[in-house]
Amino acid sequence: MKIILAEQLLRTLMTGKRVPGSIFAERVGNEVVIGFYQYRRNVFRRRHSQTLLTLPHGWIRKSAKRYKLHLSLPDNLGERRVGELMRSETEEARSFMNALESVLNNAV
């Protein structure tokens, strides 16, 4: 029977520390090989969204796969005023995106 461990893992275990991971066994010919995979934490890190435009009550951001429009308005303004602000800020965001598209098209 063979036990396969990485050298760094073996050093960590010999110092008496715990190592989270998974153990497996597989048959190779007439032998049983026992291996250990140490969990790799924080391997993938998501990129932060890039802020394209800051609005008076929100922002437009670009992530890896999406454009995001966020508006946050206080509720004490009343429904009519909130609706007007939403329309005006959405129109501002739309005009910004159109300008951005024209700049990108002219760059190519």
Side-chain angles (χ1 to χ4, degrees), residues 43-59:
V43 174
F44 173 75
R45 295 201 185 248
R46 185 178 307 207
R47 288 184 6 209
H48 292 288
S49 299
Q50 176 186 5
T51 302
L52 299 177
L53 177 68
T54 302
L55 299 167
H57 297 285
W59 42 255

Side-chain angles (χ1 to χ4, degrees), residues 23-98:
I23 194 166
F24 66 92
E26 62 183 4
R27 184 174 295 278
V28 178
N30 291 335
E31 295 182 335
V32 175
V33 177
I34 298 173
F36 182 82
Y37 286 132
Q38 182 176 357
Y39 293 148
R40 293 177 22 196
R41 306 278 186 207
N42 299 328
V43 174
F44 173 75
R45 295 201 185 248
R46 185 178 307 207
R47 288 184 6 209
H48 292 288
S49 299
Q50 176 186 5
T51 302
L52 299 177
L53 177 68
T54 302
L55 299 167
H57 297 285
W59 42 255
I60 298 175
R61 289 186 182 162
K62 182 181 185 313
S63 68
K65 296 183 179 181
R66 298 187 179 275
Y67 287 98
K68 301 174 185 178
L69 171 64
H70 175 79
L71 296 175
S72 178
L73 300 165
D75 61 350
N76 62 356
L77 296 177
E79 285 76 18
R80 180 171 290 173
R81 180 73 178 132
V82 168
E84 291 173 5
L85 284 171
M86 288 175 113
R87 184 189 54 74
S88 66
E89 293 207 10
T90 304
E91 190 60 40
E92 185 178 345
R94 181 181 294 135
S95 65
F96 172 78
M97 293 303 292
N98 288 337

